[in-house]
Amino acid sequence: LSPVCLGSLRRAAIALMFTVALGIKVPVFPFHLWLPEVHSETDTCGSVLLAGVLLKVGSYGLMRFTLTLFPVGCSY
């Protein structure tokens, strides 16, 4: 995604979409409502897997993809 083929408004919109999608995965406020229910419904192994691996993947994706692919879009 080079700056030549996308305008700044389009890059900001795509960065916002990435942030919302990965914010649901992390979870950040106000997208965190699913997390307590999932932790209480799963067994111990599922809860450990969720907290130990899956939530970190969302944080990694937010930093790795959103901030590096769209540095100008994230500056808004």
Side-chain angles (χ1 to χ4, degrees):
L1 300 174
S2 66
V4 176
C5 64
L6 294 175
S8 63
L9 182 61
R10 191 168 286 176
R11 282 185 296 195
I14 294 172
L16 180 66
M17 289 182 222
F18 266 79
T19 303
V20 169
L22 293 169
I24 292 171
K25 181 71 181 156
V26 169
V28 296
F29 182 81
F31 307 115
H32 68 288
L33 299 174
W34 63 271
L35 185 64
E37 183 178 344
V38 170
H39 273 295
S40 64
E41 295 291 325
T42 59
D43 57 346
T44 305
C45 181
S47 185
V48 168
L49 181 66
L50 178 69
V53 176
L54 298 177
L55 298 177
K56 275 52 169 192
V57 169
S59 300
Y60 173 76
L62 190 62
M63 290 184 290
R64 172 67 174 98
F65 296 111
T66 305
L67 295 177
T68 57
L69 288 176
F70 310 105
V72 176
C74 294
S75 65
Y76 292 111

